[in-house]
Amino acid sequence: MATGDVGYTLDQLRGFVAVAEESHFGRAAERLRMTQPPLSRQVQRLERAVGFELFLRTQRGAELTPAGRIFLEEARRLLSSADTAPLRARRVAAGTAGTIRIGFTAVSALTVLGRWISVAAEELPGVDLVLSEMVTHAQLDALLAGEIEVGLVRQVPRSDLLDSRLVARDSLILAAPRDHVLTRLDRTPTMEDIAEHDVVTYSPSEAWYFYELVVAAFQQAHLKPRYVQHISQVHTVLSVVDAGLGVALVPSSASALNLSNLVFLDIADLPPDTVELHAVWRHRHGNPALDALLRRV
């Protein structure tokens, strides 16, 4: 059979499926609440469109050809997609379905990110979260490139392209090996106490936010500590301290990473809540699911 029409309609597919399931044009027409001749014409047009016979017409009714049996599976799939497409589209438009790509720093995974995941699972079960661990500057690059929709970052640049919200504050605390001399003081350690020992700190390029916080804290106390390492991630800093290579100033939320040889101590002469975490997203992102999540967290 030569192909005549260039396509077929959903009504033609529904007619074909009804005939296939009833194995009879008359019964299928009754099921569809139409007369038999229009239904027969629908199926004939469909056969011309696909380029092969779907049925063998017999005295007892209509029997699917081998090609017709294969096409029946596809027809049902197409009709199911057509029936559910408006609902899926409405959910995406309302933000209750879709995908949100989230960038996050390692420590934010211990606090804010966990809450976001819980809220999405409970209130937005149709939204998929795609998570990528990145340092702050990599997140900002990814945001502007459209590779993620939202980031959890330490510092927000001035940009008309980005919106932001402060989502958490931490204090700087001391991480030290369990048997370190600073853990055996009969008082809370000071910055001067800390400056007498090797200090593991942060990379000025990869972790500039924490690098500047630590440098400023010592400069304000008029101290010059011995920096022994410059590392990009907080959890790696903790691993180095845990190995006994020095002490470090870390955000208080990092104390959730309770390694076997670590002790966390307050610092007597540092103000609290100096470490900020921001959610940042593009001003015109076009993702209703992101708006729905941000309204809930």
Side-chain angles (χ1 to χ4, degrees):
M1 179 182 294
T3 302
D5 297 333
V6 296
Y8 43 80
T9 67
L10 293 177
D11 283 342
Q12 290 168 0
L13 290 178
R14 291 189 181 96
F16 160 67
V17 170
V19 175
E21 292 177 349
E22 299 291 342
S23 299
H24 195 276
F25 276 86
R27 291 194 296 271
E30 291 178 6
R31 170 173 150 182
L32 297 171
R33 297 182 181 179
M34 61 189 300
T35 59
Q36 183 172 333
L39 176 59
S40 296
R41 289 193 293 272
Q42 278 187 356
V43 173
Q44 289 168 357
R45 292 190 187 101
L46 179 59
E47 288 177 321
R48 287 197 297 272
V50 298
F52 51 82
E53 290 186 344
L54 298 169
F55 294 105
L56 296 174
R57 278 75 168 175
T58 67
Q59 290 183 345
R60 293 187 300 175
E63 180 181 340
L64 282 168
T65 64
R69 285 194 292 272
I70 298 298
F71 190 69
L72 177 60
E73 298 175 8
E74 292 301 308
R76 285 171 170 158
R77 182 183 60 80
L78 290 170
L79 288 173
S80 176
S81 295
D83 290 341
T84 59
L87 176 60
R88 293 199 307 271
R90 282 195 295 271
R91 287 175 176 170
V92 170
T96 57
T99 300
I100 306 173
R101 297 168 296 174
I102 301 175
F104 64 96
T105 61
V107 175
S108 70
L110 303 173
T111 53
V112 174
L113 182 64
R115 178 164 53 86
W116 284 24
I117 292 171
S118 297
V119 169
E122 182 175 344
E123 301 185 32
L124 300 169
V127 174
D128 295 322
L129 305 183
V130 178
L131 308 177
S132 299
E133 183 181 340
M134 307 178 189
V135 295
T136 288
H137 76 81
Q139 288 187 60
L140 296 173
D141 290 344
L143 271 172
L144 295 174
E147 296 169 358
I148 59 174
E149 275 82 39
V150 62
L152 292 170
V153 303
R154 288 299 176 183
Q155 194 168 21
V156 183
R158 294 178 180 176
S159 173
D160 294 336
L161 301 176
L162 299 176
D163 286 334
S164 66
R165 177 198 304 165
L166 179 65
V167 293
R169 289 184 185 274
D170 278 338
S171 300
L172 278 179
I173 61 174
L174 178 68
R178 189 170 298 278
D179 61 354
H180 196 277
V181 63
L182 290 176
T183 69
R184 299 194 297 270
L185 298 176
D186 57 1
R187 54 180 171 77
T188 303
T190 66
M191 293 295 293
E192 185 174 1
D193 296 326
I194 297 167
E196 295 177 358
H197 302 275
D198 291 344
V199 175
V200 179
T201 191
Y202 303 90
S203 165
S205 57
E206 294 296 316
W208 45 268
Y209 177 77
F210 280 119
Y211 173 81
E212 290 181 356
L213 273 182
V214 171
V215 169
F218 282 109
Q219 285 179 344
Q220 288 167 9
H222 306 290
L223 299 168
K224 293 183 179 181
R226 296 190 300 272
Y227 295 122
V228 293
Q229 298 289 336
H230 291 77
I231 296 172
S232 64
Q233 295 277 18
V234 173
H235 62 278
T236 309
V237 168
L238 293 177
S239 297
V240 171
V241 173
D242 185 68
L245 297 186
V247 298
L249 274 60
V250 300
S252 51
S253 56
S255 62
L257 291 169
N258 194 14
L259 301 180
S260 60
N261 192 39
L262 279 187
V263 172
F264 295 96
L265 301 170
D266 290 333
I267 301 171
D269 48 348
L270 275 189
D273 299 332
T274 57
V275 185
E276 296 183 345
L277 183 70
H278 298 262
V280 184
W281 59 95
R282 292 192 309 280
H283 178 61
R284 296 176 180 174
H285 57 79
N287 187 339
L290 175 58
D291 289 331
L293 178 63
L294 291 173
R295 285 195 297 270
R296 290 165 167 81
V297 296

